[in-house]
Amino acid sequence: MEKQTVVTYERFGAVGDGSHDDMEAIQKAHQFANENRLPVRAREGANYYIGGRALTAVVRTDTDWTGARITIDDRNVEDVKRPVFVVEGDREAYKLDLAFLEKGQKNLGRGLETDCLVTAEDSGTKKYIRFGLNVDNGTTQTDCFVVRRDGTIEDDIIWDFSALTSCTAHPMDETELTLRGGTFVTIANGAERVYNYYWRNIEVRRSHTVIRDLSHFNTEEGDSGSPYRGFLRIVDCAFVRVENCFFTGHRIYETIGRAGLPVSMGSYDIDVYRSSHVTFLRCRQDDIMDRTRWGLMGTNFCKNLVLDGCVFSRFDAHMGVTNAHLKNCRLGWQCLNAIGHGTFVVEDTEACGRAVINLREDYGSTWDGEMIIRNCVWYPLDRRACIINGSNSGRHDFGYVCKMPRKLTIERLRIMDDSLARDPEYQGPTVFGDYDPQICEADDGRQRPYPYETTEELHISGVVTESQKELRIRENPYSMPVLRDIFLATQ
């Protein structure tokens, strides 16, 4: 008898006709493949239907969905937070017995079984104490970083953890696992307009995973719906690549926020959480300027994110990113939203939006480090056009000291603002937004309870405006009072 070399869903009872629920067969096929270390291959031309049962297929071997359609029906779901597929490694996570960690620490002080992504929490300390329509009491202080088996810490630890309440090592598999192809279609949930996130998705929890040539579409979005956390969700892992994939924006629905006022619910097709060294190569989405659909990508507690050659409506580092690099991209109407640490580089990129980079005001518009904008084209969408936008009154405690980028470099930026020049109120673009309109000559902000540390170095060269209006530093002459060393190169 010929030895089996690939596992199919049909062997375990899948029909693939678009109406028979194939989820149980899919789950069993992956279980068998995992036990026998065999790859899984979908049938070309099949339409595998996945209903609302609370079942998850655990994937630990290469899987090829090329030529198949997978329909995920979210209209009647038993557990909205149960993924359809979870990609896991061969080793289980384990707790580390550590009492504390220090900001900038370079060695864990002990060896590990293998290279790991380590996640740390201090539940007694709150960060990201949100301000605005979704005001809250903050989030447990959290960090993640790559640690080699000899204890060397490769990523910067960004907080002091004087009392660790949780420290977990997530072992990294040494070989790559590949998910390839497939057209995934989500039938939208049609639920109430409340913050009840759906996670009916592909969840990657395995380091060294590659997702390639996959497409995702949303259908039957009606007048109501709950938001999505991300069809592709990458969690607690490192060195993940997403290549040549297509994603779809979700329709925007409104609900009542914590402040008692209407808010738009963020609904993402990509979510990256507590992970490091995640790269998106040549990925794209549907219309990046469609304002009826929420921006595509959201991240939290991540490090070393790279977008290269991507066409997305939005990149959003929600509760912080440490080091990000965007190059050769096109960014749509929600553009770049970020707070965080380290170095943020945007180069050879075409951006639309009020700002090139919006520092999220609900988290204090903070960037602790350096920003570089190089060889970019910007289409400002608002007469208050500013390259770096933000807002911070100095009156709210976000759980950390809020800072403008310590050093900002802008090189060879073309500002396509000719259409704005027809507005008589348009005065031309600025480098910085009016981060606190209430600041005046008598109140420069330094006496406020939570002062906002401002940029120390600004380097500008090769900036050209289509309108031929001069680039100004700031709208409000009294803002950023401690901007000390400004270097303006001749344009």
Short mmCIF file of all heavy atoms in Angstrom, two decimals, residues 94-154:
data_model
loop_
_atom_site.label_atom_id
_atom_site.label_comp_id
_atom_site.label_asym_id
_atom_site.label_seq_id
_atom_site.Cartn_x
_atom_site.Cartn_y
_atom_site.Cartn_z
N TYR A 94 5.41 28.30 28.56
CA TYR A 94 5.60 28.00 29.98
C TYR A 94 5.96 29.26 30.74
O TYR A 94 6.46 30.24 30.17
CB TYR A 94 6.68 26.93 30.17
CG TYR A 94 8.04 27.28 29.60
CD1 TYR A 94 9.02 27.89 30.38
CD2 TYR A 94 8.35 26.97 28.27
CE1 TYR A 94 10.27 28.19 29.86
CE2 TYR A 94 9.60 27.27 27.74
CZ TYR A 94 10.56 27.88 28.53
OH TYR A 94 11.79 28.18 28.01
N LYS A 95 5.68 29.25 32.03
CA LYS A 95 5.90 30.41 32.88
C LYS A 95 7.37 30.51 33.29
O LYS A 95 8.03 29.49 33.53
CB LYS A 95 5.03 30.34 34.13
CG LYS A 95 3.52 30.38 33.86
CD LYS A 95 3.10 31.70 33.24
CE LYS A 95 1.58 31.76 33.04
NZ LYS A 95 1.16 33.03 32.42
N LEU A 96 7.86 31.74 33.38
CA LEU A 96 9.21 31.99 33.88
C LEU A 96 9.12 32.56 35.29
O LEU A 96 8.30 33.45 35.55
CB LEU A 96 9.93 33.00 32.97
CG LEU A 96 10.22 32.52 31.54
CD1 LEU A 96 10.81 33.67 30.72
CD2 LEU A 96 11.16 31.33 31.54
N ASP A 97 9.93 32.06 36.18
CA ASP A 97 9.93 32.50 37.57
C ASP A 97 10.88 33.70 37.70
O ASP A 97 12.04 33.56 38.11
CB ASP A 97 10.37 31.36 38.49
CG ASP A 97 10.27 31.75 39.97
OD1 ASP A 97 9.57 32.74 40.25
OD2 ASP A 97 10.88 31.07 40.80
N LEU A 98 10.38 34.87 37.35
CA LEU A 98 11.16 36.11 37.43
C LEU A 98 10.39 37.11 38.28
O LEU A 98 9.16 37.23 38.17
CB LEU A 98 11.41 36.69 36.04
CG LEU A 98 12.27 35.86 35.08
CD1 LEU A 98 12.29 36.51 33.71
CD2 LEU A 98 13.69 35.72 35.62
N ALA A 99 11.10 37.85 39.12
CA ALA A 99 10.46 38.81 40.00
C ALA A 99 10.34 40.18 39.37
O ALA A 99 9.39 40.93 39.65
CB ALA A 99 11.22 38.91 41.32
N PHE A 100 11.30 40.56 38.51
CA PHE A 100 11.29 41.90 37.92
C PHE A 100 12.07 41.90 36.61
O PHE A 100 12.85 40.99 36.31
CB PHE A 100 11.89 42.92 38.90
CG PHE A 100 13.34 42.67 39.21
CD1 PHE A 100 14.35 43.24 38.45
CD2 PHE A 100 13.71 41.84 40.26
CE1 PHE A 100 15.69 43.01 38.73
CE2 PHE A 100 15.04 41.61 40.56
CZ PHE A 100 16.03 42.18 39.78
N LEU A 101 11.86 42.97 35.83
CA LEU A 101 12.63 43.25 34.63
C LEU A 101 12.89 44.75 34.60
O LEU A 101 12.08 45.54 35.11
CB LEU A 101 11.85 42.84 33.37
CG LEU A 101 11.66 41.36 33.10
CD1 LEU A 101 10.62 41.15 32.00
CD2 LEU A 101 12.98 40.70 32.71
N GLU A 102 14.00 45.13 33.99
CA GLU A 102 14.34 46.55 33.92
C GLU A 102 14.31 47.04 32.47
O GLU A 102 14.67 46.31 31.55
CB GLU A 102 15.74 46.78 34.50
CG GLU A 102 15.84 46.51 35.99
CD GLU A 102 17.24 46.77 36.53
OE1 GLU A 102 18.15 47.01 35.70
OE2 GLU A 102 17.41 46.74 37.75
N LYS A 103 13.88 48.26 32.31
CA LYS A 103 13.89 48.91 30.99
C LYS A 103 15.31 48.87 30.41
O LYS A 103 16.27 49.21 31.09
CB LYS A 103 13.41 50.35 31.13
CG LYS A 103 13.39 51.13 29.83
CD LYS A 103 12.88 52.54 30.05
CE LYS A 103 12.89 53.33 28.75
NZ LYS A 103 12.37 54.71 28.95
N GLY A 104 15.43 48.43 29.17
CA GLY A 104 16.72 48.37 28.52
C GLY A 104 17.57 47.17 28.88
O GLY A 104 18.70 47.04 28.38
N GLN A 105 17.07 46.28 29.71
CA GLN A 105 17.83 45.09 30.13
C GLN A 105 18.23 44.26 28.92
O GLN A 105 17.46 44.06 27.99
CB GLN A 105 16.95 44.26 31.07
CG GLN A 105 17.61 43.06 31.70
CD GLN A 105 16.70 42.40 32.74
OE1 GLN A 105 15.89 43.06 33.39
NE2 GLN A 105 16.82 41.09 32.89
N LYS A 106 19.48 43.74 28.90
CA LYS A 106 20.01 43.05 27.73
C LYS A 106 20.12 41.53 27.90
O LYS A 106 20.40 40.83 26.93
CB LYS A 106 21.39 43.61 27.39
CG LYS A 106 21.38 45.09 27.01
CD LYS A 106 20.46 45.36 25.83
CE LYS A 106 20.48 46.83 25.43
NZ LYS A 106 19.50 47.12 24.34
N ASN A 107 19.94 41.02 29.11
CA ASN A 107 20.01 39.58 29.32
C ASN A 107 18.98 39.18 30.37
O ASN A 107 18.77 39.92 31.35
CB ASN A 107 21.40 39.14 29.76
CG ASN A 107 21.59 37.63 29.58
OD1 ASN A 107 21.10 36.84 30.37
ND2 ASN A 107 22.33 37.24 28.55
N LEU A 108 18.36 38.04 30.15
CA LEU A 108 17.30 37.59 31.06
C LEU A 108 17.86 37.10 32.39
O LEU A 108 17.13 37.00 33.38
CB LEU A 108 16.50 36.49 30.38
CG LEU A 108 15.07 36.24 30.86
CD1 LEU A 108 14.21 37.48 30.69
CD2 LEU A 108 14.46 35.07 30.08
N GLY A 109 19.16 36.80 32.43
CA GLY A 109 19.77 36.30 33.65
C GLY A 109 19.63 34.81 33.84
O GLY A 109 19.99 34.26 34.89
N ARG A 110 19.15 34.14 32.81
CA ARG A 110 19.00 32.69 32.84
C ARG A 110 18.85 32.19 31.41
O ARG A 110 18.46 32.94 30.51
CB ARG A 110 17.78 32.26 33.66
CG ARG A 110 16.48 32.91 33.23
CD ARG A 110 15.26 32.17 33.71
NE ARG A 110 15.13 30.88 33.05
CZ ARG A 110 14.17 30.00 33.31
NH1 ARG A 110 13.27 30.28 34.24
NH2 ARG A 110 14.09 28.85 32.68
N GLY A 111 19.18 30.94 31.17
CA GLY A 111 19.00 30.35 29.85
C GLY A 111 17.59 29.81 29.67
O GLY A 111 16.83 29.65 30.63
N LEU A 112 17.23 29.53 28.40
CA LEU A 112 15.92 29.01 28.06
C LEU A 112 16.09 27.69 27.30
O LEU A 112 17.16 27.37 26.80
CB LEU A 112 15.15 30.01 27.20
CG LEU A 112 14.88 31.38 27.84
CD1 LEU A 112 14.20 32.30 26.82
CD2 LEU A 112 14.01 31.25 29.09
N GLU A 113 15.00 26.94 27.21
CA GLU A 113 15.04 25.66 26.51
C GLU A 113 15.35 25.84 25.03
O GLU A 113 15.99 25.01 24.40
CB GLU A 113 13.69 24.95 26.66
CG GLU A 113 13.34 24.61 28.10
CD GLU A 113 11.92 24.06 28.23
OE1 GLU A 113 11.29 23.83 27.16
OE2 GLU A 113 11.45 23.87 29.35
N THR A 114 14.87 26.96 24.45
CA THR A 114 15.09 27.29 23.05
C THR A 114 14.84 28.78 22.90
O THR A 114 14.45 29.46 23.86
CB THR A 114 14.14 26.48 22.15
OG1 THR A 114 14.47 26.74 20.79
CG2 THR A 114 12.67 26.84 22.41
N ASP A 115 15.08 29.33 21.73
CA ASP A 115 14.74 30.73 21.49
C ASP A 115 13.25 30.92 21.72
O ASP A 115 12.43 30.07 21.34
CB ASP A 115 15.09 31.13 20.06
CG ASP A 115 16.58 31.07 19.77
OD1 ASP A 115 17.37 30.99 20.74
OD2 ASP A 115 16.96 31.12 18.58
N CYS A 116 12.89 32.07 22.32
CA CYS A 116 11.49 32.30 22.69
C CYS A 116 11.09 33.75 22.44
O CYS A 116 11.92 34.65 22.41
CB CYS A 116 11.26 32.01 24.17
SG CYS A 116 11.40 30.28 24.66
N LEU A 117 9.79 33.95 22.26
CA LEU A 117 9.21 35.26 22.46
C LEU A 117 8.70 35.29 23.89
O LEU A 117 7.92 34.42 24.29
CB LEU A 117 8.06 35.54 21.50
CG LEU A 117 7.44 36.92 21.72
CD1 LEU A 117 8.22 37.98 20.97
CD2 LEU A 117 5.97 36.95 21.32
N VAL A 118 9.15 36.25 24.67
CA VAL A 118 8.74 36.36 26.06
C VAL A 118 7.73 37.50 26.19
O VAL A 118 7.94 38.59 25.64
CB VAL A 118 9.95 36.61 26.98
CG1 VAL A 118 9.49 36.91 28.41
CG2 VAL A 118 10.88 35.40 26.97
N THR A 119 6.63 37.24 26.89
CA THR A 119 5.64 38.27 27.18
C THR A 119 5.62 38.52 28.68
O THR A 119 5.68 37.58 29.48
CB THR A 119 4.24 37.85 26.70
OG1 THR A 119 3.87 36.61 27.30
CG2 THR A 119 4.22 37.68 25.19
N ALA A 120 5.58 39.80 29.04
CA ALA A 120 5.63 40.19 30.45
C ALA A 120 4.45 41.10 30.79
O ALA A 120 4.04 41.93 29.97
CB ALA A 120 6.94 40.92 30.75
N GLU A 121 3.93 40.94 32.01
CA GLU A 121 2.81 41.77 32.47
C GLU A 121 3.01 42.17 33.93
O GLU A 121 3.55 41.39 34.72
CB GLU A 121 1.48 41.01 32.33
CG GLU A 121 1.06 40.74 30.91
CD GLU A 121 -0.31 40.09 30.83
OE1 GLU A 121 -0.79 39.60 31.88
OE2 GLU A 121 -0.90 40.06 29.74
N ASP A 122 2.54 43.37 34.24
CA ASP A 122 2.46 43.86 35.62
C ASP A 122 1.05 44.40 35.79
O ASP A 122 0.75 45.53 35.41
CB ASP A 122 3.50 44.94 35.88
CG ASP A 122 3.35 45.58 37.27
OD1 ASP A 122 2.51 45.12 38.05
OD2 ASP A 122 4.09 46.55 37.54
N SER A 123 0.16 43.57 36.35
CA SER A 123 -1.25 43.95 36.46
C SER A 123 -1.48 45.08 37.45
O SER A 123 -2.54 45.71 37.44
CB SER A 123 -2.09 42.73 36.86
OG SER A 123 -1.66 42.22 38.12
N GLY A 124 -0.50 45.36 38.29
CA GLY A 124 -0.64 46.45 39.26
C GLY A 124 -0.31 47.81 38.69
O GLY A 124 -0.50 48.83 39.37
N THR A 125 0.20 47.85 37.46
CA THR A 125 0.55 49.12 36.82
C THR A 125 -0.26 49.25 35.54
O THR A 125 -0.33 48.33 34.74
CB THR A 125 2.04 49.17 36.49
OG1 THR A 125 2.79 49.00 37.69
CG2 THR A 125 2.42 50.49 35.82
N LYS A 126 -0.87 50.42 35.35
CA LYS A 126 -1.70 50.64 34.18
C LYS A 126 -1.03 51.62 33.21
O LYS A 126 -0.49 52.65 33.61
CB LYS A 126 -3.07 51.19 34.59
CG LYS A 126 -3.87 50.27 35.50
CD LYS A 126 -4.17 48.92 34.83
CE LYS A 126 -4.95 48.00 35.74
NZ LYS A 126 -5.16 46.66 35.13
N LYS A 127 -1.07 51.25 31.94
CA LYS A 127 -0.61 52.12 30.86
C LYS A 127 -1.77 52.35 29.90
O LYS A 127 -2.81 51.71 30.00
CB LYS A 127 0.56 51.47 30.11
CG LYS A 127 1.75 51.11 30.98
CD LYS A 127 2.47 52.34 31.51
CE LYS A 127 3.75 51.95 32.23
NZ LYS A 127 4.42 53.11 32.87
N TYR A 128 -1.56 53.25 28.96
CA TYR A 128 -2.55 53.53 27.92
C TYR A 128 -3.93 53.82 28.53
O TYR A 128 -4.94 53.23 28.16
CB TYR A 128 -2.63 52.36 26.93
CG TYR A 128 -1.29 52.01 26.35
CD1 TYR A 128 -0.64 50.81 26.68
CD2 TYR A 128 -0.64 52.88 25.48
CE1 TYR A 128 0.61 50.51 26.17
CE2 TYR A 128 0.62 52.58 24.97
CZ TYR A 128 1.23 51.39 25.31
OH TYR A 128 2.48 51.08 24.81
N ILE A 129 -3.92 54.73 29.49
CA ILE A 129 -5.17 55.17 30.13
C ILE A 129 -5.86 56.11 29.15
O ILE A 129 -5.50 57.27 29.01
CB ILE A 129 -4.89 55.85 31.48
CG1 ILE A 129 -4.10 54.89 32.39
CG2 ILE A 129 -6.20 56.27 32.15
CD1 ILE A 129 -3.56 55.55 33.64
N ARG A 130 -6.84 55.58 28.49
CA ARG A 130 -7.40 56.23 27.29
C ARG A 130 -8.17 57.50 27.63
O ARG A 130 -8.82 57.60 28.67
CB ARG A 130 -8.29 55.24 26.55
CG ARG A 130 -8.49 55.54 25.08
CD ARG A 130 -9.16 54.37 24.41
NE ARG A 130 -9.24 54.56 22.96
CZ ARG A 130 -9.75 53.68 22.12
NH1 ARG A 130 -10.23 52.53 22.58
NH2 ARG A 130 -9.79 53.91 20.82
N PHE A 131 -8.13 58.43 26.69
CA PHE A 131 -8.82 59.72 26.81
C PHE A 131 -9.78 59.86 25.63
O PHE A 131 -9.51 59.36 24.54
CB PHE A 131 -7.79 60.84 26.80
CG PHE A 131 -8.38 62.22 26.81
CD1 PHE A 131 -8.88 62.78 27.98
CD2 PHE A 131 -8.42 62.97 25.64
CE1 PHE A 131 -9.42 64.06 27.98
CE2 PHE A 131 -8.96 64.26 25.64
CZ PHE A 131 -9.46 64.79 26.81
N GLY A 132 -10.91 60.52 25.85
CA GLY A 132 -11.82 60.81 24.75
C GLY A 132 -13.09 60.00 24.81
O GLY A 132 -13.54 59.57 25.87
N LEU A 133 -13.67 59.73 23.63
CA LEU A 133 -14.99 59.09 23.56
C LEU A 133 -14.97 57.66 24.07
O LEU A 133 -16.00 57.15 24.52
CB LEU A 133 -15.50 59.12 22.11
CG LEU A 133 -15.74 60.51 21.52
CD1 LEU A 133 -16.20 60.40 20.07
CD2 LEU A 133 -16.76 61.29 22.34
N ASN A 134 -13.81 56.99 24.02
CA ASN A 134 -13.69 55.63 24.54
C ASN A 134 -12.82 55.60 25.79
O ASN A 134 -12.02 54.68 26.00
CB ASN A 134 -13.10 54.69 23.46
CG ASN A 134 -14.12 54.32 22.41
OD1 ASN A 134 -15.26 53.99 22.73
ND2 ASN A 134 -13.73 54.39 21.15
N VAL A 135 -12.98 56.59 26.63
CA VAL A 135 -12.19 56.72 27.86
C VAL A 135 -12.25 55.43 28.68
O VAL A 135 -13.27 54.76 28.74
CB VAL A 135 -12.69 57.93 28.68
CG1 VAL A 135 -14.15 57.74 29.09
CG2 VAL A 135 -11.82 58.16 29.91
N ASP A 136 -11.10 55.05 29.29
CA ASP A 136 -11.08 53.88 30.15
C ASP A 136 -10.03 54.06 31.25
O ASP A 136 -9.40 55.11 31.35
CB ASP A 136 -10.84 52.59 29.36
CG ASP A 136 -9.50 52.57 28.64
OD1 ASP A 136 -8.55 53.22 29.11
OD2 ASP A 136 -9.39 51.88 27.61
N ASN A 137 -9.88 53.02 32.07
CA ASN A 137 -8.95 53.08 33.21
C ASN A 137 -7.59 52.47 32.91
O ASN A 137 -6.81 52.20 33.82
CB ASN A 137 -9.57 52.38 34.42
CG ASN A 137 -10.81 53.11 34.93
OD1 ASN A 137 -10.84 54.33 34.97
ND2 ASN A 137 -11.83 52.34 35.29
N GLY A 138 -7.31 52.24 31.64
CA GLY A 138 -5.99 51.77 31.27
C GLY A 138 -5.91 50.27 31.12
O GLY A 138 -6.85 49.52 31.38
N THR A 139 -4.73 49.82 30.70
CA THR A 139 -4.46 48.42 30.40
C THR A 139 -3.25 47.95 31.19
O THR A 139 -2.32 48.72 31.45
CB THR A 139 -4.18 48.26 28.89
OG1 THR A 139 -5.31 48.75 28.15
CG2 THR A 139 -3.94 46.81 28.52
N THR A 140 -3.26 46.70 31.59
CA THR A 140 -2.11 46.10 32.28
C THR A 140 -0.82 46.41 31.53
O THR A 140 -0.73 46.25 30.31
CB THR A 140 -2.30 44.58 32.38
OG1 THR A 140 -3.40 44.31 33.27
CG2 THR A 140 -1.06 43.89 32.91
N GLN A 141 0.20 46.85 32.26
CA GLN A 141 1.50 47.11 31.65
C GLN A 141 2.02 45.82 30.99
O GLN A 141 2.13 44.79 31.64
CB GLN A 141 2.50 47.60 32.69
CG GLN A 141 3.88 47.87 32.12
CD GLN A 141 4.81 48.48 33.14
OE1 GLN A 141 4.61 49.60 33.59
NE2 GLN A 141 5.84 47.74 33.53
N THR A 142 2.32 45.91 29.70
CA THR A 142 2.61 44.73 28.89
C THR A 142 3.80 44.99 27.99
O THR A 142 3.98 46.09 27.48
CB THR A 142 1.38 44.37 28.03
OG1 THR A 142 0.26 44.11 28.88
CG2 THR A 142 1.64 43.16 27.15
N ASP A 143 4.59 43.96 27.76
CA ASP A 143 5.69 44.06 26.81
C ASP A 143 5.97 42.67 26.24
O ASP A 143 5.58 41.64 26.81
CB ASP A 143 6.94 44.61 27.48
CG ASP A 143 7.92 45.23 26.49
OD1 ASP A 143 7.64 45.20 25.27
OD2 ASP A 143 8.96 45.75 26.92
N CYS A 144 6.62 42.64 25.08
CA CYS A 144 7.08 41.38 24.49
C CYS A 144 8.45 41.60 23.88
O CYS A 144 8.77 42.71 23.46
CB CYS A 144 6.08 40.86 23.45
SG CYS A 144 6.03 41.81 21.92
N PHE A 145 9.27 40.54 23.85
CA PHE A 145 10.63 40.68 23.32
C PHE A 145 11.20 39.30 23.02
O PHE A 145 10.88 38.31 23.68
CB PHE A 145 11.53 41.42 24.32
CG PHE A 145 11.33 41.04 25.75
CD1 PHE A 145 12.08 40.02 26.32
CD2 PHE A 145 10.38 41.69 26.54
CE1 PHE A 145 11.89 39.65 27.65
CE2 PHE A 145 10.17 41.32 27.86
CZ PHE A 145 10.94 40.30 28.43
N VAL A 146 12.05 39.25 22.01
CA VAL A 146 12.71 38.00 21.62
C VAL A 146 13.89 37.75 22.55
O VAL A 146 14.71 38.64 22.81
CB VAL A 146 13.19 38.08 20.16
CG1 VAL A 146 14.08 36.88 19.82
CG2 VAL A 146 12.00 38.14 19.21
N VAL A 147 13.97 36.52 23.08
CA VAL A 147 15.08 36.10 23.95
C VAL A 147 15.69 34.83 23.36
O VAL A 147 14.99 33.86 23.08
CB VAL A 147 14.60 35.82 25.39
CG1 VAL A 147 15.78 35.41 26.26
CG2 VAL A 147 13.92 37.07 25.97
N ARG A 148 17.01 34.86 23.15
CA ARG A 148 17.71 33.68 22.66
C ARG A 148 17.95 32.69 23.80
O ARG A 148 17.86 33.03 24.97
CB ARG A 148 19.02 34.09 21.99
CG ARG A 148 18.83 34.99 20.77
CD ARG A 148 17.95 34.33 19.72
NE ARG A 148 17.72 35.19 18.55
CZ ARG A 148 16.95 34.87 17.53
NH1 ARG A 148 16.30 33.70 17.53
NH2 ARG A 148 16.80 35.69 16.51
N ARG A 149 18.28 31.46 23.44
CA ARG A 149 18.38 30.39 24.45
C ARG A 149 19.46 30.67 25.48
O ARG A 149 19.40 30.16 26.59
CB ARG A 149 18.61 29.04 23.78
CG ARG A 149 19.91 28.87 23.04
CD ARG A 149 20.03 27.46 22.48
NE ARG A 149 19.02 27.23 21.43
CZ ARG A 149 18.45 26.06 21.22
NH1 ARG A 149 18.76 25.03 21.98
NH2 ARG A 149 17.57 25.91 20.26
N ASP A 150 20.45 31.53 25.15
CA ASP A 150 21.48 31.86 26.15
C ASP A 150 21.05 33.02 27.05
O ASP A 150 21.83 33.47 27.89
CB ASP A 150 22.81 32.19 25.46
CG ASP A 150 22.75 33.45 24.60
OD1 ASP A 150 21.65 34.06 24.50
OD2 ASP A 150 23.79 33.84 24.03
N GLY A 151 19.83 33.50 26.89
CA GLY A 151 19.30 34.57 27.73
C GLY A 151 19.43 35.95 27.15
O GLY A 151 18.92 36.92 27.73
N THR A 152 20.09 36.09 25.99
CA THR A 152 20.25 37.39 25.37
C THR A 152 18.91 37.95 24.92
O THR A 152 18.15 37.27 24.22
CB THR A 152 21.20 37.31 24.16
OG1 THR A 152 22.47 36.84 24.58
CG2 THR A 152 21.37 38.67 23.50
N ILE A 153 18.63 39.19 25.32
CA ILE A 153 17.39 39.87 24.93
C ILE A 153 17.66 40.69 23.69
O ILE A 153 18.48 41.62 23.71
CB ILE A 153 16.86 40.76 26.07
CG1 ILE A 153 16.56 39.90 27.31
CG2 ILE A 153 15.62 41.52 25.64
CD1 ILE A 153 16.22 40.71 28.54
N GLU A 154 16.99 40.38 22.59
CA GLU A 154 17.26 41.07 21.33
C GLU A 154 16.44 42.34 21.16
O GLU A 154 16.89 43.28 20.50
CB GLU A 154 17.00 40.13 20.15
CG GLU A 154 18.04 39.04 20.00
CD GLU A 154 18.03 38.41 18.62
OE1 GLU A 154 17.09 38.68 17.84
OE2 GLU A 154 18.96 37.64 18.33
#
